[in-house]
Amino acid sequence: MSGASIGLEGWRAGAVWHTHPAGPIFTRSEGSGAALLLIHGFPTASWDWAKIWPAMTAEFRCHTLDMIGFGFSAKPKNVAYSIQAQADLFEDFLAAQRVDEYAIIAHDYGDTVAQELLARHIEGRARQHLTKLVLLNGGLFPETHRPRLIQTLLAGPLGGWVARLTTRRTFAANLRGICARPLSDEEIDGMWQLLVENDGIAVLPKLIGYMAERRLHRERWVGALQKSRVPIRLIDGLDDPISGVHMVARYRELIGAADVIELPGVGHYPQVEAPDEVARAALEFLRRQ
């Protein structure tokens, strides 16, 4: 269903650059039909969607980008990175694309950005109308998020030092520790290239501030999920040590009439590890009237 995957250079070749005060932002838009926004996670980039991109663009007008500090986009060292700023970026980008109504698929850090966009929708101050929301593995609830040691260290006082010691080898080891289905060397090399692009290692300690933001804004962001009249589906790789089966249990506990698709034997990157299953579950949900 997912079709042939798009290699990193092919992904980059499809870029359209969005102007932002922080610097140029890498974006891709393709397909026709209703608008669908895909929001990537930490510390990778929009290339995470390459394996499901053909299936999604066959039915939707798909939009994605590398957020500020990620992938091919600008990674300034003198800005305060925040979930609010990333949500502003997406609203600006959608406005530039003349999108008034859209659905979301989000993963990891992107889940938190989606929760902020959902909260704005509920509060009546969103710039676009949100119709549906698909969430993949991510820290929806601070109390169930189990960060890896490297994340905890990056968020601490020695974060800058830890970032500078990060190598392709340690990066690969961490990826393999959270993915139940092994990633290929090509996939890991591509993710590493996106991480180090534009001296991305240097901004990791600032980006990791999202973990503290989740705790600070828990009531608003978890409340958005609980209050939402926007249909939501969670698709979760259960073998994820960060946000797997334990997060699903909490989701069912807090979210009424929870719509959950469980993927056993899949880890933290379901769209990369199990693209056909993710595409099938997402499309079935998004097609509903």
Side-chain angles (χ1 to χ4, degrees), residues 90-100 127-128:
F90 279 107
E91 288 193 326
D92 290 345
F93 169 64
L94 290 173
Q97 298 297 313
R98 299 183 180 179
V99 171
D100 297 319
R127 294 175 62 185
Q128 293 87 18

Side-chain angles (χ1 to χ4, degrees), residues 25 71 75 81 84 109 167 177 195 245 259 283:
I25 301 297
K75 299 174 180 177
Y81 290 93
Q84 296 273 353
Y109 179 104
T167 65
L195 181 65
V245 64
D259 180 345
L283 286 170

Side-chain angles (χ1 to χ4, degrees), residues 165-215:
L165 291 179
T166 301
T167 65
R168 193 269 185 199
R169 182 177 178 180
T170 58
F171 175 73
N174 276 289
L175 276 177
R176 293 189 174 109
I178 61 176
C179 293
R181 298 184 184 179
L183 304 185
S184 69
D185 287 341
E186 179 185 2
E187 288 166 337
I188 293 173
D189 286 342
M191 291 176 173
W192 174 249
Q193 180 180 334
L194 288 161
L195 181 65
V196 300
E197 185 85 9
N198 299 328
D199 195 21
I201 293 290
V203 301
L204 286 178
K206 287 192 171 186
L207 290 174
I208 202 71
Y210 74 88
M211 296 197 301
E213 287 185 88
R214 283 173 174 169
R215 295 189 294 270

Side-chain angles (χ1 to χ4, degrees), residues 20 32 50 76 90 140 258:
H20 186 273
S32 60
F90 279 107
L140 301 176

Side-chain angles (χ1 to χ4, degrees), residues 106-116 134-140:
H107 172 243
D108 186 72
Y109 179 104
D111 286 355
T112 310
V113 177
Q115 285 173 272
E116 170 60 25
V134 177
L135 300 169
L136 306 184
N137 295 58
L140 301 176

Side-chain angles (χ1 to χ4, degrees), residues 56 94 138 162 210 235 240 277:
M56 297 297 113
L94 290 173
V162 172
Y210 74 88
I235 304 172
D240 173 14
E277 292 98 316

Side-chain angles (χ1 to χ4, degrees), residues 72-144:
F72 294 124
S73 289
K75 299 174 180 177
K77 299 179 179 65
N78 59 346
V79 303
Y81 290 93
S82 71
I83 295 298
Q84 296 273 353
Q86 305 289 13
D88 291 344
L89 167 62
F90 279 107
E91 288 193 326
D92 290 345
F93 169 64
L94 290 173
Q97 298 297 313
R98 299 183 180 179
V99 171
D100 297 319
E101 184 174 280
Y102 71 110
I104 290 175
I105 302 179
H107 172 243
D108 186 72
Y109 179 104
D111 286 355
T112 310
V113 177
Q115 285 173 272
E116 170 60 25
L117 291 169
L118 178 62
R120 295 181 187 188
H121 175 88
I122 292 169
E123 294 160 358
R125 60 185 190 89
R127 294 175 62 185
Q128 293 87 18
H129 179 71
L130 179 59
T131 59
K132 290 186 178 180
L133 175 57
V134 177
L135 300 169
L136 306 184
N137 295 58
L140 301 176
F141 315 106
E143 63 271 23
T144 60

Side-chain angles (χ1 to χ4, degrees), residues 241-258:
I242 299 174
S243 52
V245 64
H246 60 285
M247 191 276 285
V248 171
R250 184 63 168 161
Y251 189 88
R252 292 188 186 279
E253 179 183 351
L254 294 183
I255 308 302

